[in-house]
C-alpha cells in the first residue's frame, strides 16, 4: 500500500479536514466499499452510533458511513478500513491521528491523486518494509 498524510490547517492552527471531507473527495469508491471502524474517539451527533459500530466491530456500507460521518464534528482518533465485496484484505485505510492529521493508505494510486488534488498540505507516508 502507498499512503499520504493530510495536515491542512485553519488559520488558528487546527486541523481543517474532517472524515467527511475525505470520504466526499473519493465518494464513488466509498460507496462500493464495506467499512470496519476501530480505535475510535469522535464527537458529534452520530458519535455514539459510530462508537457502537466500532466497539462491536460491525461492517457497514459506504452509504451508512457517509451518512454518519456527515454528522461528526471531530474525529480525534480512529481507523476506517475499507474492503471491497468478495475480498478479504482492505484496499483503503483512513486513519485519524490525534486530531492533527489523516493518513490515507491504499492500493489505488487514483485515490491518492484525487486526495492530493483536493487538499493542500499533503505529504507522502514513508513505506515501511517488513522482514
Amino acid at each position: 500500500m502507498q499512503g499520504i498524510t493530510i495536515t491542512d490547517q485553519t488559520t488558528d492552527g487546527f486541523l481543517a479536514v474532517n472524515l467527511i471531507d475525505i470520504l466526499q473527495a473519493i465518494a464513488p469508491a466509498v460507496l462500493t466499499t464495506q467499512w470496519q471502524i476501530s480505535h475510535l474517539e469522535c464527537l458529534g451527533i452520530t458519535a455514539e452510533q459510530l462508537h457502537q459500530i466500532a466497539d462491536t466491530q460491525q461492517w457497514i456500507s459506504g452509504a451508512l458511513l457517509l451518512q454518519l460521518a456527515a454528522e461528526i464534528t471531530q474525529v480525534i482518533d480512529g481507523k476506517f478500513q475499507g474492503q471491497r465485496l468478495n475480498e478479504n484484505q482492505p484496499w483503503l485505510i483512513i486513519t485519524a491521528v490525534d486530531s492533527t492529521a489523516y493518513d490515507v493508505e491504499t492500493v489505488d494510486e487514483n485515490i491518492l491523486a484525487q486526495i492530493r488534488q483536493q487538499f493542500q498540505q499533503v505529504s507522502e507516508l514513508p513505506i515501511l518494509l517488513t522482514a
Side-chain angles (χ1 to χ4, degrees):
M1 274 197 201
Q2 296 178 302
I4 56 176
T5 297
I6 306 165
T7 56
D8 290 17
Q9 293 184 349
T10 61
T11 54
D12 50 358
F14 293 102
L15 187 63
V17 179
N18 209 342
L19 177 63
I20 190 64
D21 303 318
I22 298 168
L23 295 175
Q24 287 175 337
I26 58 171
V30 170
L31 292 172
T32 60
T33 300
Q34 295 293 309
W35 294 89
Q36 190 173 49
I37 306 164
S38 59
H39 310 292
L40 182 65
E41 185 60 41
C42 66
L43 304 170
I45 295 170
T46 55
E48 188 175 325
Q49 191 174 356
L50 270 176
H51 282 117
Q52 184 178 9
I53 290 166
D55 291 345
T56 58
Q57 299 181 348
Q58 293 178 48
W59 286 93
I60 62 170
S61 69
L64 180 56
L65 181 58
L66 278 167
Q67 178 185 345
L68 296 173
E71 300 295 331
I72 293 296
T73 53
Q74 181 183 14
V75 178
I76 300 158
D77 288 296
K79 187 176 217 177
F80 302 82
Q81 293 189 84
Q83 217 169 282
R84 292 185 176 119
L85 296 177
N86 302 319
E87 291 186 7
N88 59 5
Q89 293 292 321
W91 74 276
L92 175 62
I93 301 171
I94 302 169
T95 306
V97 183
D98 199 25
S99 295
T100 60
Y102 278 94
D103 293 342
V104 180
E105 299 171 83
T106 183
V107 296
D108 187 342
E109 176 59 39
N110 292 327
I111 294 294
L112 297 179
Q114 289 172 336
I115 290 172
R116 284 186 196 99
Q117 191 172 27
Q118 182 74 28
F119 302 101
Q120 283 136 13
Q121 294 178 341
V122 178
S123 57
E124 301 299 314
L125 275 176
I127 298 174
L128 300 176
L129 301 176
T130 56

